[in-house]
Each structure stands twice: as C-alpha cells, then as structure tokens.
Amino acid sequence: MLSTLYAAAVRRRRERYASRPELRLRLRRPVISVGNLAVGGRGKTPVTAYLARTLLEMGERPAILSRGYGRSDRRDGVVVVRDPEAIRADLPRAGDEPLMLARQLPGVSVLTCPDRYLAGRLAEHHLGATVHVLDDGFQHLRLERDVDLLILGREDVARPITLPGGRLREPLDTVIAVDAILTADEDVVVDAAGEPPPLFRLRRSAPPPPPDDRAALAVAGVASPGRFFDDLRRAGWQLAATLPFRDHHPYSARDVAAFMRRARDAGAARIVTTEKDFVRLLRFRPFPVPIEAVPLRVEPVAGDEFRAWIAGELRAARDIHG
C-alpha cells in the first residue's frame, strides 16, 4: 500500500514538471543526465566517468555536476572540486565520489552544489564548459536536460516495486521519459509504450591481477561490497579476510587502526580497496600496511556505436537550442 502511494506521488511530481516547463531551468550548453531508478549502486559514477572521458576525446570541455552526497563541509554555494587544470577541493568540501572523479579525470571540471543549475552556470562562464554531465540526475527534474541516460539492473525489472517496500525511487513505467537505457545484465528487457528507447549493453572491466601471490585484506564501503570481493577473487587476489562497510562510510582513525590490526592478524601483506574508499582514507597516510586502490571501469560493449549516438544527440540539441 505504501509503495503504491509513493509511486503515485512520484508520478504526479514528474507529470507536474512535464506539464509546466516554466518550472525547469535550462543551461546554455547541452546537459546529459546519468541516473537510475533504484537506490544503491548501479554503476552511475563509473558510467559518468566513462562519458566524461568520451566527451573529452570528442573535443568537448565537459563539466560534471554533482550534488556532493556525503560532504561533511556543507557550505553554501558551488564547490569547484576540479577545474580543467587541477584539483581545488578536499574530501570534506567535495564528497567522496566527486573527489574520486576529480582524481580520475584530468581536463574535466567537477563541481558540487545542491543547485546544479548554479553549478552549471559557473562552469559555463568561468571554466569554459561546452557540455554538462549531470551525475545521478534522473530524479533532478528542476534542471532541463537534452539526453537522459538510465541505468537498469535485472532486479529493477524483475521486482519493480518502489520505496518503501522495494528499491525503486520511481516506477518502472518512467522509462518512457528516457533517451537510452544502459544495462550490464544480458537478460534485461524493457516493455515500453510505443517505440522503446535505444538499449546499450555495459561491461564491467575485471580488476587488475595482484602484483604477487601474497594475501590481502579487502576493505569496501560501497553499495555492493560482496560483488567487489568476488571480482577480486576472480581476478586472482588471495583474500585473507574481507571487511564490508556501508556505502560512503566515513572512516575514522579507529576504523583504520582496526583494519590494520586485522590485516596483521590475518597475515595480509597489503590492503586492497576501491578508489572511492581510497579517497576517504587518504588523510590517514602514511599507512602501516600498504593500501592499494583497484579501479572500477564500466563502458558500453558497442563503444563506437554509443559514441556516435551521443555525438548525434549533441548535434540535435545544439541545432534546436543554438
């Protein structure tokens, strides 16, 4: 019952923005939104990173607009986490995912602000942005977008129940609002009214193999730590123990001391973690036990086809809006 009421409320919200265009703000440069329906990890941030790299290779000057979830320093205004030349903010002001993106993407601007229109205006006027990537933007209806990319998982389609009984933030039928669907699951099929949007399959790159055969302690505070641990094992890592934490866990000195002890007790020569976790651990350096960050990369299987499609969508947006 509660899920049905929640679904009706979010449908009404989307219908309200669709019927009242004056409620939506438009930036001068095209906006590409990357989002999902479900709470938790579906690969939004790796897809955002891939998209920013692709746009940079196409000659664009992309700006990633993020709300900066998990920031401990929530000062007003826009935080420039990275401009095209250098990183300009620390973890408390940036948040873990924006800082991770800033470290991964030289040449790309990364900005955080609850008001992503304001962040976009700053990126256009002061950082020379030619296109915006709206990270986790499907539900951010206040900002007009030119391309809506939605990441779906098999669980979203197999159990399409909204909060609080399920994991979806919006009903599955809102896929009619998207321009393309991205999925890493082969068995995802979406029934949409009329012509379905293009569907691009994603592949997750395997972690790099370990540098040697010595055991490691794996630590992860992400949406699906178990999947990260399984990926490491498949890549040949010998895991002496695993330590899962909740997503965006704010590591403390006590946490770090505890898993350093755990590593020594388990006979682990190193600690392996995700890039997102690593940016939350940087302030505790130097580490008594070495910590290695393993990258997670996601990209379309048909990379050339996706790139051509994005280029066409950008040309169409510029033809319409100038």
Side-chain angles (χ1 to χ4, degrees), residues 216-221 225-233 237-245 259 262-263 266 268 270-272:
L217 169 70
V219 176
R227 185 170 64 184
F228 173 67
F229 301 148
D230 290 342
D231 286 346
L232 289 174
R233 293 187 182 99
W237 290 78
Q238 301 300 315
L239 301 186
T242 59
L243 286 179
F245 292 85
F259 58 68
R262 181 71 180 274
R270 61 175 59 85
I271 294 169
V272 60

Side-chain angles (χ1 to χ4, degrees), residues 244-263:
F245 292 85
R246 66 180 177 83
D247 198 11
H248 302 284
H249 177 72
Y251 291 113
S252 65
R254 179 177 295 181
D255 291 328
V256 174
F259 58 68
M260 292 295 170
R261 287 194 301 272
R262 181 71 180 274

Side-chain angles (χ1 to χ4, degrees), residues 16-321:
R16 177 170 176 262
Y17 275 95
S19 63
R20 297 184 59 188
E22 73 275 9
L23 297 177
R24 307 182 80 159
L25 300 173
R26 172 168 289 281
L27 291 165
R28 294 186 62 188
R29 304 302 186 185
V31 176
I32 304 172
S33 169
V34 179
N36 63 7
L37 289 183
V39 296
R42 288 291 184 271
K44 293 187 307 295
T45 303
V47 169
T48 295
Y50 165 81
L51 184 57
R53 288 190 195 97
T54 298
L55 292 167
L56 200 62
E57 292 167 1
M58 293 165 58
E60 302 283 354
R61 291 174 61 88
I64 296 174
L65 311 180
S66 170
R67 65 187 173 119
Y69 179 82
R71 291 185 298 159
S72 58
D73 184 349
R74 296 179 176 274
R75 65 186 65 186
D76 293 337
V78 180
V79 175
V80 178
V81 182
R82 178 181 193 104
D83 61 27
E85 281 72 46
I87 294 174
R88 305 296 183 184
D90 56 8
L91 177 66
R93 291 188 298 141
D96 55 2
E97 289 177 348
L99 184 58
M100 180 186 71
L101 290 168
R103 288 168 56 87
Q104 292 176 351
L105 299 169
V108 174
S109 298
V110 181
L111 303 92
T112 66
C113 185
D115 185 343
R116 282 182 266 188
Y117 174 75
L118 182 62
R121 291 284 287 173
L122 188 151
E124 290 175 350
H125 286 275
H126 297 284
L127 303 179
T130 61
V131 61
H132 304 282
V133 180
L134 185 59
D135 184 27
D136 194 12
F138 190 58
Q139 287 78 33
H140 191 72
L141 302 180
R142 184 168 176 264
L143 184 61
E144 190 71 68
R145 71 285 315 275
D146 300 280
V147 183
D148 244 323
L149 304 177
L150 183 69
I151 303 173
L152 281 181
R154 66 167 58 92
E155 298 171 18
D156 307 338
V157 178
R159 190 171 183 270
I161 301 174
T162 56
L163 298 167
R167 294 179 57 81
L168 299 191
R169 295 187 279 184
E170 293 192 72
L172 188 58
D173 55 40
T174 56
V175 297
I176 63 174
V178 310
D179 296 293
I181 293 171
L182 310 179
T183 181
D185 299 322
E186 289 291 335
D187 52 351
V188 167
V189 177
V190 178
D191 295 323
E195 184 177 353
L199 188 147
F200 294 95
R201 302 288 178 184
L202 299 173
R203 62 173 165 233
R204 297 169 60 242
S205 61
D212 53 52
D213 59 359
R214 293 184 297 169
L217 169 70
V219 176
V222 293
S224 301
R227 185 170 64 184
F228 173 67
F229 301 148
D230 290 342
D231 286 346
L232 289 174
R233 293 187 182 99
R234 282 192 289 269
W237 290 78
Q238 301 300 315
L239 301 186
T242 59
L243 286 179
F245 292 85
R246 66 180 177 83
D247 198 11
H248 302 284
H249 177 72
Y251 291 113
S252 65
R254 179 177 295 181
D255 291 328
V256 174
F259 58 68
M260 292 295 170
R261 287 194 301 272
R262 181 71 180 274
R264 287 192 290 264
D265 293 345
R270 61 175 59 85
I271 294 169
V272 60
T273 191
T274 72
E275 288 181 307
K276 188 166 85 168
D277 288 288
F278 190 70
V279 299
R280 283 177 270 139
L281 293 168
L282 284 172
R283 66 191 180 100
F284 299 107
R285 292 181 297 182
F287 304 119
V289 177
I291 298 182
E292 298 179 17
V294 171
L296 171 61
R297 299 289 184 263
V298 176
E299 61 184 21
V301 174
D304 290 343
E305 181 183 341
F306 179 78
R307 177 179 174 138
W309 181 82
I310 283 290
E313 294 294 304
L314 288 178
R315 284 194 300 270
R318 286 168 173 147
D319 286 344
I320 293 171
H321 302 294

